[in-house]
Amino acid sequence: MNTPEREHWSRGLGFTLAAVGSAVGLGNMWRFSYMTAENGGAAFVLLYVVLTALIGLPVMLAELTLGRGAARSPIQALAHYGGPRWRPLGALFVLAGFVILSYYSVIAGWTLRYAAEGLLFGFSTEVGAHFGEISRGWDAVAWHCGFMVLTIAFVAAGVRGGIERAALVLMPLLGVLVIGLAIYAATLDGAGAGYAYYFTTDFSSLLNFDVARDAAGQAFFSLSLGMGCILTYASYLKRDHNLPKEAMMVAVSDFSVALIAGLVVFPLLFALGLQSEVIGVGDSAVGALFVTLPKAFATMQAAGRVVGVVFMLALSLAALTSAISLLEVVVSSSMDSFGLRRKHAVWLGGFAIALLGIPSALDTSILEVMDSIGGAFLLVLGGLLLSLFVGWRVENPIAEAAAGRSYPGLRLWYFLLRWVAPPILALMAWFLFEDSLEKVRALLASP
Ligand code: PHE
């Protein structure tokens, strides 16, 4: 169904900040640092950058083009360009949104709790035990639900009044907090060793398929690609936007924040001699950031309390703007498909997602499985199908992307979408599928 009274961003900057707000999130700190630690440091980062440039950027421009051109939510946008047979791909996007937000909000809940407790009582020195309390059980469920209510409140206020306003205020604030933290970290004794670790490349990992697989998953997760998020935000754009520039802006900002986050985390850990606790962690990799960093904050006493609260606050804000974008995919799709009013769609969708997140809140191994299915496999699969769709099904995508102007590089974009992205993404999707399957089996086999 077409919605003539479709909402719009009030200004271009609103869209840019909202898209950057979607991309910059827990992925840049929590996921990036645990993936980097698991995958041999800088080699992983290098592969991540290469995959972002070769595949991430082209898929992002594809989403921007479809969203703006159709001015509809994903399911309708795909049907608009490709006919009703493509609707299921849109449904896959909505499913990914459900799965990702369900556990994303659990981690955001931990973050929020650390920020609140740090502010009120300081950071506990019994970090391992404390994380155990925070990350499992009904307390975690309560914080997860609290975070969902916050997300719901913003999305319910609409594109301009909620999403855009949140981005305009929170994103600049986030930038200041993160840069401030990096400057502080640089003043610590031992920061140099942290940088050295961060920038040392183990080139042998470059040829390792497992590392490439995780780098592809991380690139899609971090850029919010492969599930119609960027498409949905672009559907509220007016026609005269420079899409290639927007894609670059989002990718560069996202990568900068991930890089700067590393400049905060690694010096902190090395200055306090805690590096061995992140590097080489086995099962608990998912929680590494949430155990080791609070330990650093606790060790640093008064200064640590301030730095810790600022860090956790920054992380919570980053998570909020990303969660908003995840929920918006579900909401805009149900508004367009079922003719629901925004408020009803938000509460219904938000409630269902909160329910789905309960198992992840009760058990981190379930969370890890959800992350590998939703946060990696479904996104890369979505990216594969999107590149095939725009590369082979949509008529004259170059003209759609340019919208009457001309941009250098659009031919290269089309070539990458047709010939480069599909085979690489097919391979990565297959590996990620196997990896998810293995994780599910391990989960079922554990008592
Ligand atoms: N990009 C977000 C982050 O890095 C997560 C996200 C994934 C948001 C997919 C929207 C869609 O935290």
Side-chain angles (χ1 to χ4, degrees), residues 22-23 25-28 100 104 221-224 227 229 322 325-326:
S22 166
L26 294 170
N28 302 60
I100 298 175
Y104 198 85
F221 185 87
S222 193
L223 292 169
S224 305
M227 48 107 20
C229 209
S322 301
S325 73
L326 283 160

Side-chain angles (χ1 to χ4, degrees), residues 76-141:
Q76 266 72 21
L78 289 164
H80 173 78
Y81 277 106
R85 278 197 321 176
W86 284 88
R87 277 170 187 272
L89 178 54
L92 184 77
F93 291 167
V94 177
L95 175 72
F98 256 88
V99 174
I100 298 175
L101 185 51
S102 76
Y103 71 84
Y104 198 85
S105 153
V106 171
I107 305 163
W110 304 345
T111 318
L112 213 55
R113 176 159 174 190
Y114 270 118
E117 286 187 348
L119 187 69
L120 296 175
F121 318 113
F123 288 88
S124 155
T125 43
E126 301 293 320
V127 281
H130 190 58
F131 179 69
E133 270 169 41
I134 283 191
S135 63
R136 277 160 202 260
W138 293 102
D139 269 21
V141 173

Side-chain angles (χ1 to χ4, degrees), residues 216-235:
Q218 176 62 14
F220 272 73
F221 185 87
S222 193
L223 292 169
S224 305
L225 290 179
M227 48 107 20
C229 209
I230 299 295
L231 191 162
T232 304
Y233 274 9
S235 75

Side-chain angles (χ1 to χ4, degrees), residues 142-201:
W143 284 89
H144 152 63
C145 292
F147 184 81
M148 277 307 298
V149 170
L150 206 62
T151 308
I152 288 172
F154 277 98
V155 179
V159 173
R160 273 188 205 187
I163 303 176
E164 179 171 342
R165 200 177 288 164
L168 285 171
V169 176
L170 298 183
M171 293 319 290
L173 180 61
L174 177 70
V176 172
L177 294 183
V178 174
I179 291 174
L181 286 169
I183 294 174
Y184 170 78
T187 65
L188 296 172
D189 282 341
Y195 297 139
Y197 169 76
Y198 190 31
F199 293 112
T200 309
T201 308

Side-chain angles (χ1 to χ4, degrees), residues 211-266:
V211 176
R213 169 199 78 195
D214 285 345
Q218 176 62 14
F220 272 73
F221 185 87
S222 193
L223 292 169
S224 305
L225 290 179
M227 48 107 20
C229 209
I230 299 295
L231 191 162
T232 304
Y233 274 9
S235 75
Y236 305 123
L237 271 178
K238 306 232 169 80
R239 191 128 181 100
D240 56 354
H241 241 70
N242 180 340
L243 297 185
K245 194 180 101 198
E246 294 294 353
M248 277 306 272
M249 281 283 286
V250 176
V252 169
S253 320
D254 184 63
F255 183 63
S256 311
V257 176
L259 209 63
I260 299 175
L263 296 180
V264 178
V265 173
F266 290 103

